[in-house]
Amino acid sequence: MVERVQSIVQNSIMMLDYKKHIFLSIFGFFLLLGINSNHSHAQSFNLTPTIQQKSFMTSDHVKLQYLIGGSGQHTLFFIPGWLMPAEVFNAQLNYFSQYYRVISFSPRSQGKSDIYLGANLAELRARDIKELLAATQTSEFTLIGWSLGVMEALDYINRYGDQGLQSLVLIDNSIGEGTPPKASSSKSNAKMTTESFKKYVKGFVGAIFKSTPPADFIRTVENSALRLAATPEKAFAILRKPYAREYYRDTVYKTQVPIWYAITPRYTEQALLLGENHPKGEFKIYENNAGHALFVDQADEFNLDLESFLRKMN
């Protein structure tokens, strides 16, 4: 009887050791999987060696920095939002440089481009796009604008036409359709000190992501947004455009190239109207864990969706 009890105890201990071994193995596997997943996530925001940083001088002698890579006749030309750098599209540059020529630029006073303290007129920023397209000998292209970049892409098209434009991608901003938004008090009208602007920018950058991008990526974005901290009024002046919202709506419908509108739910009404009224208008609403910078929060999904849209034209 004693021997049997000892045998049962010994077998139980062996079973516990076996289960412990299995548990540690499974735990280690998932820990490694998590580490590899985080590493992969971070890697998608680090530019590959095939993406180069270059610069060009505008006709009014402002040096603008841009990122360029890939090859092919068709170029994807990315326009970032307010105060954002070219690097905000790193995940897209890495992915699409495998299939297309890609360009992302930092507008005046953004990213590594020259700080410009003159009047930030809409016409100058549209002209910068035209001159960069010419400087990079870009003839067939897709314009991809995010946030303020939506307005600036449409302004470019209104001013210079759509010659060479193969398609248009508009990311998470109004296109002038549907019910006008309610008027709200705007920070752009406020008198900010450098310190209050820095706090505002930190909150602004934090609010555009629902994910947690790598720290160095956030640093790059924040550093770009703070370029005009000494002159906040110059930063807010970039937001002011001299057009009614119908200017953008009319430009959308004058453009007969395929359009993809990638948005968060706040622009649902505008997306539905685009889908109904534009013969080549498509849209997708990103609802799950996607903030204003939805192409960062859901980079893999966004890239596959954009790739699908682009391949329809081939």
Side-chain angles (χ1 to χ4, degrees), residues 81-101:
W82 182 59
L83 304 183
M84 295 291 103
E87 288 84 354
V88 76
F89 290 112
N90 278 4
Q92 285 66 52
L93 298 177
N94 287 339
Y95 184 82
F96 286 102
S97 61
Q98 303 172 77
Y99 315 107
Y100 300 91
R101 184 171 178 251

Side-chain angles (χ1 to χ4, degrees), residues 235-261:
F236 288 117
I238 296 170
L239 291 172
R240 291 195 284 273
K241 303 295 182 185
Y243 320 113
R245 64 195 308 271
E246 290 78 15
Y247 175 86
Y248 302 103
R249 182 197 63 197
D250 294 346
T251 303
V252 165
Y253 291 116
K254 280 192 296 188
T255 304
Q256 295 305 305
V257 300
I259 297 176
W260 185 49
Y261 192 29

